[in-house]
Amino acid sequence: LTSQNHPVIAYGQDDLRLIVCGDATCSSHSPRVISNSNQPGISHSLALTSADVPIISFHHLSPVGFLFLSVCPNPQCTGIAVMTIVDDSGSAGYHNSLALTSQDVPVIAYIGVDESKLALCNDLHCASPTFRTTGGNNPRWISLSLTPQDIPVFAYVEVSSNLVVVECSSASCES
């Protein structure tokens, strides 16, 4: 929800779309295409900055599975969103979860090749993230939250159906 309690919804079809509702019941809205090439948006996560600007992390299948970040230019997402490839290591981000720090800087928890990972962005567009591999036994379905001190806490399910909860000891998740 925006600061005015208007819903903002990201969804995938053949492309990744965003709806910014004009009122609380979403009776007025117009979908915007964020990415329209080769099945983006299979797994995506949405957050709003303190100025209500939508930011979306998403997995893109082409060519082998990249993790992208899309930052809208304004709260209505009119104009061209800035897209960044966060991780191009292959099969990155099929499951992903996005949170913003108190300074509106993205943190993305996601599944890489059979392991859970964090991308700790250094700026809004995540041009040069710091990566942390956090383990896991073939993890799936990841969810991320940040403490009031911007410390990542995330959970995922391993292939054995074990729920794993990880709380980093600091915002940089170094240990």
Side-chain angles (χ1 to χ4, degrees):
L1 295 176
T2 67
S3 57
Q4 298 170 337
N5 289 323
H6 297 179
V8 179
I9 304 160
Y11 65 99
Q13 260 179 307
D14 294 329
D15 46 27
L16 179 62
R17 294 177 183 232
L18 181 76
I19 291 177
V20 179
C21 297
D23 56 39
T25 62
C26 208
S27 61
S28 66
H29 66 275
S30 58
R32 297 179 184 13
V33 174
I34 302 301
S35 179
N36 63 357
S37 58
N38 195 17
Q39 297 182 316
I42 296 237
S43 175
H44 57 272
S45 184
L46 168 70
L48 301 178
T49 68
S50 56
D52 291 337
V53 173
I55 299 177
I56 305 169
S57 62
F58 64 96
H59 172 79
H60 194 291
L61 287 178
S62 178
V64 293
F66 291 173
L67 177 65
F68 278 80
L69 186 73
S70 177
V71 179
C72 289
N74 54 51
Q76 290 72 38
C77 206
T78 55
I80 298 172
V82 175
M83 301 266 240
T84 304
I85 297 174
V86 177
D87 188 340
D88 64 357
S89 63
S91 298
Y94 187 75
H95 300 280
N96 66 82
S97 183
L98 168 69
L100 300 178
T101 68
S102 56
Q103 301 299 310
D104 287 336
V105 176
V107 176
I108 307 167
Y110 63 101
I111 305 302
V113 178
D114 297 331
E115 60 191 5
S116 62
K117 297 176 89 174
L118 281 176
L120 304 163
C121 300
N122 296 312
D123 59 28
L124 181 66
H125 299 287
C126 206
S128 300
T130 300
F131 295 102
R132 300 281 185 245
T133 300
T134 55
N137 177 16
N138 201 11
R140 301 287 182 263
W141 303 290
I142 198 162
S143 183
L144 169 71
S145 188
L146 300 178
T147 69
Q149 297 78 29
D150 293 331
I151 297 172
V153 178
F154 59 97
Y156 56 86
V157 177
E158 292 183 315
V159 70
S160 61
S161 297
N162 291 329
L163 176 66
V164 177
V165 178
V166 176
E167 181 174 357
C168 296
S169 60
S170 66
S172 63
C173 203
E174 291 185 79
S175 57

